[in-house]
């Protein structure tokens, strides 16, 4: 139920919770929900931006991805074009060849993008393909010694993650996607608990972890807050925030778009909950291109650049120029 907060208390609530966070405190789920319902959104966004500037700094983190295996996924995630359950007419292929992988990495490396991630469709990856990815990673480590390599390959086992780490892949990505209570409405072939187990396995062997979700899939603001709190409990410091881009052929193809205010409010509330994290533009950027500067003002400080998986991404040079004009330093 929407909370009714007297107007004269709204600004003081935002200010008090901002001071709490800046002093090293954590806001509760109830406080986060109250922030999302405040009527003074401009003040909320400004406060979130101030928290980011003071606790995370003015550095902006960029990463690029390669769709290293596409389609034929046995999972039934309702938002995803790559699921074999749905007819979406996407390109399908097994693991990309070495030359294609290096071409994409070379392009991003020349632009100065510091992170590069291998992303594959499917519940998991075979040991054979893990070995091939490890070969690619070792070669990229030679070509670009400073490039931070990442991977997103589903629900891998600890020994598979260990092999990736030994090959030079430092970060593993596994999105929660939404709250644990809402996730079964969107996918029934795996669970939030399995995702958490993968995240913890990566952490146990010393890998960094990137995890976030998608908004606009019919979830409530409470679901988004619950996801943000779980990410905080898991200690996640790199959080991609995707905005659903409804794909024809998927069960969510007719999902109505979120309002600008709801997108910006979600970003700001995430910043209050994650004051030091990288909140990362990810999928759906074309849908919110007209409010990107406002979103950065509300707490965004990272982005996936270039082409995404099955939707349009962004142009690397344009992203860099925009971020620099807003007073950020590319990391």
């Amino acid at each position: 139920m929407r909370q009714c907060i007297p107007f004269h208390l709204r600004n003081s609530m935002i200010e008090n919770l901002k001071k709490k966070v800046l002093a090293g405190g954590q806001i509760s789920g109830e406080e986060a929900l109250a922030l999302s319902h405040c009527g003074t959104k401009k003040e909320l966004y400004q406060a979130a931006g101030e928290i980011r500037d003071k606790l995370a700094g003015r550095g902006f983190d960029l990463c690029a991805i390669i769709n290293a295996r596409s389609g034929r996924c046995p999972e039934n995630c309702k938002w995803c074009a790559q699921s074999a359950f749905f007819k979406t007419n996407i390109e399908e292929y097994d693991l990309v060849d070495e030359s294609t992988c290096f071409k994409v990495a070379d392009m991003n490396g020349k632009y100065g993008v510091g992170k590069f991630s291998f992303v594959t469709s499917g519940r998991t990856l075979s040991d054979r393909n893990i070995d091939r990815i490890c070969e690619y990673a070792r070669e990229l480590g030679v070509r670009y010694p400073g490039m931070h390599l990442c991977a997103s390959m589903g629900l891998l086992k600890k020994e598979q993650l260990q092999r990736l780490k030994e090959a030079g892949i430092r970060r593993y990505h596994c999105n929660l996607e939404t709250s644990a209570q809402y996730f079964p409405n969107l996918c029934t072939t795996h669970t939030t608990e399995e995702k958490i187990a993968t995240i913890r396995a990566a952490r146990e062997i010393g890998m960094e972890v990137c995890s976030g979700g998608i908004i606009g899939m019919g979830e409530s603001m409470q679901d988004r807050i619950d996801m943000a709190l779980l990410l905080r409990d898991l200690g996640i410091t790199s959080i991609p925030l995707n905005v659903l881009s409804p794909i024809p052929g998927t069960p969510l193809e007719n999902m109505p778009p979120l309002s600008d205010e709801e997108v910006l409010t979600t970003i700001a509330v995430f910043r209050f909950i994650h004051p030091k994290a990288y909140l990362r533009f990810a999928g759906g950027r074309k849908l919110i291109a007209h409010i990107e500067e406002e979103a950065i003002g509300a707490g965004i400080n990272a982005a996936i650049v270039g082409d995404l998986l099955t939707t349009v991404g962004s142009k690397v040079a344009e992203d860099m120029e925009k971020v620099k004009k807003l007073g950020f330093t590319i990391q």
Side-chain angles (χ1 to χ4, degrees), residues 60 62 111 113 281 285 289 292-293 296 303-306 312-326 330:
F60 207 93
L62 300 179
Y111 275 112
V113 178
F281 278 139
R285 286 187 62 186
E292 279 197 344
E293 288 193 15
I296 292 172
I304 298 175
V305 295
V312 176
S314 62
K315 295 181 179 179
V316 178
E318 290 180 5
D319 269 341
M320 287 188 164
E321 186 64 23
K322 181 186 299 182
V323 167
K324 290 176 181 177
K325 283 184 177 179
L326 292 173
I330 301 296

Side-chain angles (χ1 to χ4, degrees), residues 118-253:
F118 305 95
V119 182
T120 58
S121 64
R123 180 183 179 87
T124 187
L125 204 62
S126 69
D127 285 330
R128 173 178 171 273
N129 280 336
I130 288 283
D131 288 340
R132 290 179 64 191
I133 290 291
C134 288
E135 291 174 7
Y136 297 175
R138 291 188 184 97
E139 178 61 27
L140 285 175
V142 173
R143 293 188 181 207
Y144 292 102
M147 183 173 279
H148 190 299
L149 298 179
C150 315
S152 179
M153 299 173 179
L155 305 174
L156 295 188
K157 298 175 183 177
K158 185 181 289 188
E159 57 265 33
Q160 292 175 311
L161 292 165
Q162 182 66 45
R163 283 153 61 192
L164 293 176
K165 182 189 175 189
E166 290 172 357
I169 294 175
R170 297 164 55 185
R171 175 178 290 176
Y172 196 72
H173 168 265
C174 184
N175 268 355
L176 294 182
E177 307 299 3
T178 189
S179 69
Q181 60 266 27
Y182 192 69
F183 188 78
N185 295 305
L186 300 168
C187 177
T188 60
T189 50
H190 62 274
T191 66
T192 298
E193 288 72 24
E194 288 175 294
K195 289 175 175 291
I196 292 173
T198 300
I199 288 170
R200 286 179 172 158
R203 268 282 172 70
E204 286 170 5
I205 64 167
M207 295 183 89
E208 300 170 13
V209 175
C210 177
S211 182
I214 307 171
I215 64 173
M217 298 192 292
E219 78 289 343
S220 66
M221 181 61 75
Q222 183 67 63
D223 286 313
R224 296 173 204 154
I225 290 170
D226 288 345
M227 176 176 67
L229 294 174
L230 179 53
L231 290 168
R232 186 172 72 184
D233 290 343
L234 291 169
I236 307 300
T237 56
S238 175
I239 303 173
L241 289 176
N242 301 267
V243 178
L244 179 70
S245 180
I247 297 171
T250 66
L252 300 186
E253 65 177 331

Side-chain angles (χ1 to χ4, degrees), residues 3-204:
Q3 297 183 10
C4 295
I5 303 173
F7 183 80
H8 69 284
L9 295 179
R10 291 170 184 166
N11 282 355
S12 61
M13 177 189 70
I14 295 171
E15 184 66 19
N16 289 338
L17 291 179
K18 181 188 75 174
K19 289 179 179 178
K20 179 179 181 178
V21 172
L22 291 176
Q26 294 184 337
I27 68 169
S28 67
E30 292 77 13
E31 290 169 330
L33 190 60
L35 283 174
S36 74
H37 289 154
C38 74
T40 51
K41 292 297 193 294
K42 182 178 179 181
E43 287 75 11
L44 173 64
Y45 307 154
Q46 289 176 340
E50 185 177 340
I51 288 171
R52 184 267 322 281
D53 289 350
K54 291 188 176 181
L55 297 183
R58 297 285 289 182
F60 207 93
D61 186 66
L62 300 179
C63 65
I65 65 177
I66 180 171
N67 192 8
R69 187 178 71 178
S70 181
R72 300 190 294 270
C73 179
E75 306 302 291
N76 66 356
C77 307
K78 290 183 177 179
W79 64 85
C80 188
Q82 303 208 55
S83 172
F85 284 80
F86 320 128
K87 294 182 179 180
T88 57
N89 298 316
I90 65 162
E91 183 180 5
E92 297 181 351
Y93 51 84
D94 201 1
L95 205 66
V96 295
D97 59 70
E98 188 177 56
S99 62
T100 299
C101 176
F102 293 163
K103 180 180 179 181
V104 176
D106 287 345
M107 178 183 68
N108 286 286
K110 289 174 182 176
Y111 275 112
V113 178
K115 294 182 174 66
F116 182 72
S117 182
F118 305 95
V119 182
T120 58
S121 64
R123 180 183 179 87
T124 187
L125 204 62
S126 69
D127 285 330
R128 173 178 171 273
N129 280 336
I130 288 283
D131 288 340
R132 290 179 64 191
I133 290 291
C134 288
E135 291 174 7
Y136 297 175
R138 291 188 184 97
E139 178 61 27
L140 285 175
V142 173
R143 293 188 181 207
Y144 292 102
M147 183 173 279
H148 190 299
L149 298 179
C150 315
S152 179
M153 299 173 179
L155 305 174
L156 295 188
K157 298 175 183 177
K158 185 181 289 188
E159 57 265 33
Q160 292 175 311
L161 292 165
Q162 182 66 45
R163 283 153 61 192
L164 293 176
K165 182 189 175 189
E166 290 172 357
I169 294 175
R170 297 164 55 185
R171 175 178 290 176
Y172 196 72
H173 168 265
C174 184
N175 268 355
L176 294 182
E177 307 299 3
T178 189
S179 69
Q181 60 266 27
Y182 192 69
F183 188 78
N185 295 305
L186 300 168
C187 177
T188 60
T189 50
H190 62 274
T191 66
T192 298
E193 288 72 24
E194 288 175 294
K195 289 175 175 291
I196 292 173
T198 300
I199 288 170
R200 286 179 172 158
R203 268 282 172 70
E204 286 170 5

